[in-house]
Amino acid sequence: MVLARRQIRIRGVVQGVGFRPFVHNLARRLGLAGYVLNSSAGVVAEVEGAPAALDSFVESLRTEAPPLARIEEMFVAEIDPLGERDFAIRESQAREGEFVLVSPDVATCPDCYRDFTDLANRRYGYAFTNCTNCGPRYTIIRDIPYDRPNTTMAAFRMCAACQAEYDDPGNRRFHAQPNACAECGPQLSAPISEARRRLREGEIVAIRGLGGFHLACDARNDGAVRLLRERKRRSDKPFALMARDVAAVEAFCAVSDDDRQARASARRPIVILPRLADSGISAAVAPGNNTIGVMLPYTPLHHLLFSGAPYDALVMTSGNLSEEPIVTSNEEALDRLRPLADWFLLHNRDIYMRADDSVVRTFEGVERVLRRSRGFVPRAIDLGMEVAEILACGGELKNTFCLSKGRYAVLSQHIGDMENYETLVFFEETLANLKKLFRVEPRAVAHDLHPGYLSTQYALRVPDLEKIGVQHHHAHIASCMAENGLRGKVIGVALDGTGYGTDGQIWGGEFLVADYGGFERRAHLRYVPLAGGDAAVRQPWRPALAYLADTYGAAAEFPELAIWRDVPESQRKLVRGMIAQRVNTIDTSSCGRLFDAVAAIIGVRQQINFEGQAAIELETIAADGVADGYPFALEGDSVDFRPAIERIVAEVRAGTPAPMIAARFHNTMAEAIMEVCRRLRAQEKLNRVCLGGGTFQNMKLLARALAGLRRLDFEVFIHAQVPPNDGGIALGQAVIATEILRRG
Ligand code: ZN
Ligand code: ZN
Ligand code: FE
């Protein structure tokens, strides 16, 4: 028989997903000899046998790969036969500088669920059950290749039964690195029945999970939820829920088919869903919000928390002190979460990388990521083009950073608001880890232009490397372009709360003509003077006064408006004085502040307790089925909403209901977007529009703008796997920096 031998190198998500046993079984089935191993670049196999069998081997690698595997690239080379007889799985090889795709954490698979819920199974009730198809990955991996000694499972020695599974290529747990059982594996600090009893009785329990601690309580127990809110000093920001199963979710949320799919995926993110009235879920879970964020259990521990319990939904909020990173270690939890929790459920499988729960929303049948973390990270984004090795440090709020190399960009998990030392430390730890895992040695550092951002300051302190400052809204648009694989120029509409402009003012209502190499700011919301720095963000009545002054002059009186009733006269006078004299004011074209201003003028809210709250409430109340809008003016590069403000004030005085005004305002913003894009198309012959920035988390605005632009035959691109908010700008910074380096 003629023998041939081929070497096959596979890149992609091929480690920790049962790929080697699959290759092993396939080779055996086809009667081939050779070996397979994990390398730091992916998987390498050599197979030897009849040429026809080799062909079907290569073919089957693609068509029969395990469910969690994702083959990005496969190189096949003919090499000389060695006359081998056997097929073996060999020791892993680490090679310097290679790029391997590390798997994110994967929710419990149905087979494992069966194992720990089956009385007769040796893993019955075991909270750390996993296999090659599921379990912890990114959160426990210290280095590649992905082998047990390189994970936090190194501390546990497998018992004979587990070892036998691990060594058996026919077993689902063959080379499952976190494989364990109650005999040999991680343990809980107390019986899970005690956690269930305490939750049932209304206690707040701190639970060590996969990527960090949660604070949990019964979501239907109003007293417990209120107490948790009080202890967390979190007055309005919504809490996420975990529901027992799909049926439980449907008892309190309206669930579409797309939502069902997003929620049931192996990533198990928090899915934002419309909440049903009278659902019995405590109103304190998400005050003033008609949506609710719900996830399903994603570890055996979570499933067991619900098993036989009377509750069907738990609040599962991050175990942290207000804006600090989620707590991961037992010691830290017992120390810092002590004032928040009545009791602790700990375990001894260490969390190497902290990861919050991810948040998604579905729109037009596609899962849209709002917070990209557990289950998504560190899945690399294939850019379809070569990029430089860059560290992009991201923004300030909802910070993530980005490392790029080869054709990939890796976005870090959600780091959080970079406003304190703890978050900066988390940033640095995660950066060190991802650089190591992906073998990235950046040759340049990209950063936001805002000199006050901790991420900018960090970037500027990195020794030796070239620094590339990237304008915030340019980064938003480049991020959207990169995610959608676009090249060349586009019209970019970047709407958000705050981004530092090249003129030193605060931008946020920006219309750009941009490519990766640069941008022109072709139009923006008309500047208004914002008084009082950060207070202007926390108090929507301040931008409201700015818009009123801009529209009517500084002295105009509007006793009918809620501001005149709700804001003390002394404060109002002070701020109006600041605006009139331009003392401690900064000019802004922020779209977020315009939403705030309208919310304040129509009496929705004068004071916010979390980022975007007033805009979210304005979206929430906006009536459906309203088609008309308000006038606005386009003059030069200025998008002037004063005509709209005039009409809004007139309607408030005439008693028009707020939901009508809110709807018309949304329509007006969509109209303005359409009109500016139409003009830019006429001037530039560009037909592609990218929408980016946190304002596009507003589904009512997004839907109206998209529908309108498509009616005008624009080709419109929006985000899906990368957040439209500042959690996505690091990706834009990385591709822009690459282009700037390329152009020298
Ligand atoms: Zn499993
Ligand atoms: Zn065991
Ligand atoms: Fe932004």
Side-chain angles (χ1 to χ4, degrees):
M1 185 175 74
V2 183
L3 283 184
R5 188 176 178 95
R6 283 179 203 166
Q7 186 189 64
I8 299 144
R9 297 184 163 269
I10 302 164
R11 288 166 181 272
V13 180
V14 287
Q15 294 190 7
V17 293
F19 202 81
R20 285 174 306 167
F22 152 70
V23 172
H24 177 271
N25 293 338
L26 181 63
R28 289 260 168 110
R29 196 179 83 207
L30 295 168
L32 299 173
Y35 70 86
V36 59
L37 57 77
N38 276 346
S39 79
S40 50
V43 161
V44 180
E46 288 188 13
V47 280
E48 184 166 330
L54 293 181
D55 289 342
S56 33
F57 178 83
V58 172
E59 162 85 19
S60 301
L61 282 180
R62 283 199 185 276
T63 54
E64 296 172 28
L68 295 176
R70 210 180 59 178
I71 297 179
E72 302 264 346
E73 280 175 329
M74 190 153 97
F75 302 101
V76 183
E78 295 288 335
I79 54 175
D80 291 336
L82 300 175
E84 269 180 332
R85 290 292 166 84
D86 262 349
F87 194 92
I89 294 179
R90 289 202 191 151
E91 284 295 305
S92 301
Q93 257 178 11
R95 204 188 315 200
E96 277 312 299
E98 302 241 344
F99 192 103
V100 65
L101 300 181
V102 178
S103 170
D105 301 287
V106 182
T108 303
C109 76
D111 290 329
C112 285
Y113 179 83
R114 242 168 270 130
D115 288 350
F116 66 76
T117 52
D118 171 9
L119 257 170
N121 192 287
R122 74 186 190 91
R123 285 193 175 80
Y124 177 71
Y126 184 54
F128 302 91
T129 303
N130 64 80
C131 72
T132 44
N133 298 319
C134 75
R137 298 288 188 275
Y138 177 56
T139 51
I140 63 164
I141 297 177
R142 293 194 188 114
D143 199 357
I144 52 169
Y146 171 57
D147 282 334
R148 191 167 174 117
N150 281 337
T151 71
T152 62
M153 284 298 292
F156 300 94
R157 211 191 137 93
M158 273 184 275
C159 67
C162 286
Q163 187 71 48
E165 295 167 335
Y166 185 90
D167 292 335
D168 173 8
N171 193 290
R172 198 173 91 243
R173 298 196 166 90
F174 177 70
H175 282 218
Q177 306 305 341
N179 187 31
C181 74
E183 284 297 307
C184 64
Q187 302 291 335
L188 293 171
S189 60
I192 210 148
S193 53
E194 172 149 21
R196 285 194 298 254
R197 178 182 66 75
R198 288 175 181 269
L199 287 166
R200 190 179 68 221
E201 287 169 4
E203 288 191 19
I204 294 166
V205 178
I207 300 169
R208 194 183 203 195
L210 185 59
F213 272 81
H214 281 120
L215 290 164
C217 70
D218 181 353
R220 293 180 186 277
N221 184 330
D222 201 47
V225 180
R226 278 177 202 290
L227 183 62
L228 176 56
R229 213 166 252 299
E230 228 167 82
R231 289 188 189 166
K232 264 202 116 182
R233 295 204 193 94
R234 182 153 149 166
S235 49
D236 290 330
K237 200 170 175 183
F239 287 140
L241 300 187
M242 181 177 280
R244 173 198 301 276
D245 51 24
V246 175
V249 180
E250 293 181 10
F252 54 85
C253 291
V255 184
S256 71
D257 287 344
D258 300 332
D259 291 330
R260 211 164 279 139
Q261 235 171 27
R263 209 191 34 236
S265 82
R267 296 179 293 276
R268 293 287 161 106
I270 295 167
V271 183
I272 310 280
L273 296 167
R275 138 161 60 183
L276 299 176
D278 308 323
S279 60
I281 295 294
S282 163
V285 165
N289 207 314
N290 60 4
T291 64
I292 206 164
V294 193
M295 59 189 152
L296 290 174
Y298 54 84
T299 68
L301 172 56
H302 297 146
H303 285 289
L304 293 166
L305 277 175
F306 284 102
S307 153
Y311 47 79
D312 63 349
L314 293 171
V315 166
M316 277 285 209
T317 187
S318 307
N320 57 0
L321 300 177
S322 56
E323 300 307 322
E324 290 179 10
I326 184 170
V327 169
T328 53
S329 80
N330 290 336
E331 297 68 33
E332 208 190 342
L334 290 170
D335 177 28
R336 312 195 74 139
L337 302 181
R338 180 75 69 190
L340 306 180
D342 297 311
W343 190 70
F344 289 81
L345 184 60
L346 310 175
H347 66 68
N348 59 349
R349 186 182 71 200
D350 281 344
I351 299 167
Y352 186 67
M353 258 300 109
R354 168 191 281 130
D356 290 87
D357 295 313
S358 294
V359 181
V360 309
R361 193 164 188 175
T362 57
F363 178 75
E364 296 193 326
V366 176
E367 182 181 285
R368 314 278 171 182
V369 179
L370 302 178
R371 181 166 80 192
R372 195 169 177 279
S373 211
R374 177 198 42 84
F376 290 86
V377 175
R379 197 169 63 185
I381 297 162
D382 185 349
L383 298 169
M385 60 177 178
E386 285 292 316
V387 283
E389 289 190 38
I390 304 274
L391 161 62
C393 293
E396 175 161 80
L397 298 179
K398 302 181 168 70
N399 177 277
T400 67
F401 62 84
C402 179
L403 289 168
S404 60
K405 177 178 177 175
R407 5 187 302 173
Y408 296 104
V410 176
L411 266 185
S412 76
Q413 68 267 41
H414 169 77
I415 302 290
D417 296 349
M418 293 265 279
E419 289 172 330
N420 53 53
Y421 175 73
E422 287 75 10
T423 312
L424 181 63
V425 170
F426 178 26
F427 176 99
E428 291 178 337
E429 284 172 0
T430 308
L431 176 57
N433 187 47
L434 283 173
K435 268 168 71 175
K436 184 177 62 181
L437 283 185
F438 292 98
R439 310 285 197 247
V440 181
E441 262 321 311
R443 49 181 283 227
V445 182
H447 60 85
D448 196 88
L449 296 180
H450 200 304
Y453 285 0
L454 280 183
S455 60
T456 305
Q457 290 165 7
Y458 175 86
L460 296 176
R461 277 200 313 269
V462 176
D464 301 331
L465 298 181
E466 184 173 345
K467 313 298 189 306
I468 300 173
V470 177
Q471 201 281 324
H472 189 97
H473 303 95
H474 185 204
H476 270 306
I477 297 308
S479 174
C480 182
M481 289 176 68
E483 180 181 348
N484 289 289
L486 305 184
R487 309 277 179 275
K489 279 189 180 178
V490 301
I491 297 171
V493 182
L495 305 182
D496 65 4
T498 301
Y500 198 77
T502 51
D503 58 358
Q505 310 294 356
I506 298 298
W507 295 7
E510 309 306 312
F511 297 84
L512 314 179
V513 169
D515 58 16
Y516 295 134
F519 73 98
E520 285 172 53
R521 186 192 198 200
R522 297 295 290 269
H524 59 86
L525 288 178
R526 181 183 151 86
Y527 280 136
V528 295
L530 209 50
D534 282 350
V537 178
R538 289 194 308 271
Q539 301 177 330
W541 61 265
R542 288 174 184 252
L545 288 185
Y547 269 96
L548 292 171
D550 191 39
T551 308
Y552 300 99
E557 290 289 334
F558 298 97
E560 307 88 338
L561 299 187
I563 304 173
W564 264 254
R565 190 182 63 232
D566 299 344
V567 180
E569 195 194 339
S570 56
Q571 287 191 42
R572 234 170 38 224
K573 258 181 110 168
L574 180 73
V575 168
R576 294 176 88 199
M578 287 161 74
I579 291 170
Q581 329 248 316
R582 298 281 175 147
V583 175
N584 191 15
T585 64
I586 187 160
D587 279 345
T588 188
S589 55
S590 163
C591 188
R593 297 298 82 77
L594 174 52
F595 270 83
D596 287 351
V598 172
I601 290 170
I602 71 177
V604 168
R605 159 172 303 279
Q606 311 299 339
Q607 182 95 32
I608 63 166
N609 300 307
F610 61 90
E611 193 208 357
Q613 186 179 16
I616 289 169
E617 289 175 359
L618 200 61
E619 176 190 359
T620 300
I621 64 162
D624 290 322
V626 178
D628 59 328
Y630 301 119
F632 57 91
L634 293 184
E635 264 193 36
D637 65 354
S638 159
V639 184
D640 183 352
F641 265 65
R642 285 178 300 179
I645 296 291
E646 261 179 57
R647 289 280 301 277
I648 289 169
V649 169
E651 290 196 348
V652 172
R653 290 168 135 177
T656 306
M660 294 296 292
I661 303 178
R664 289 187 182 127
F665 171 68
H666 278 77
N667 293 342
T668 312
M669 188 57 72
E671 289 285 339
I673 293 169
M674 290 157 61
E675 190 50 39
V676 177
C677 288
R678 206 155 57 172
R679 291 194 180 193
L680 290 176
R681 174 165 65 187
Q683 292 161 9
E684 297 285 331
K685 308 279 173 280
L686 294 173
N687 202 45
R688 299 181 301 179
V689 178
C690 286
L691 305 180
T695 300
F696 287 110
Q697 294 171 106
N698 179 325
M699 292 287 149
K700 283 180 180 160
L701 176 66
L702 180 64
R704 285 165 212 212
L706 262 177
L709 289 168
R710 287 181 185 144
R711 253 196 331 271
L712 297 173
D713 290 322
F714 281 104
E715 214 185 334
V716 192
F717 299 89
I718 61 175
H719 281 290
Q721 46 166 333
V722 173
N725 56 48
D726 287 1
I729 65 171
L731 174 64
Q733 292 172 347
V735 288
I736 289 168
T738 288
E739 184 61 19
I740 287 174
L741 286 179
R742 202 182 61 79
R743 294 186 186 180

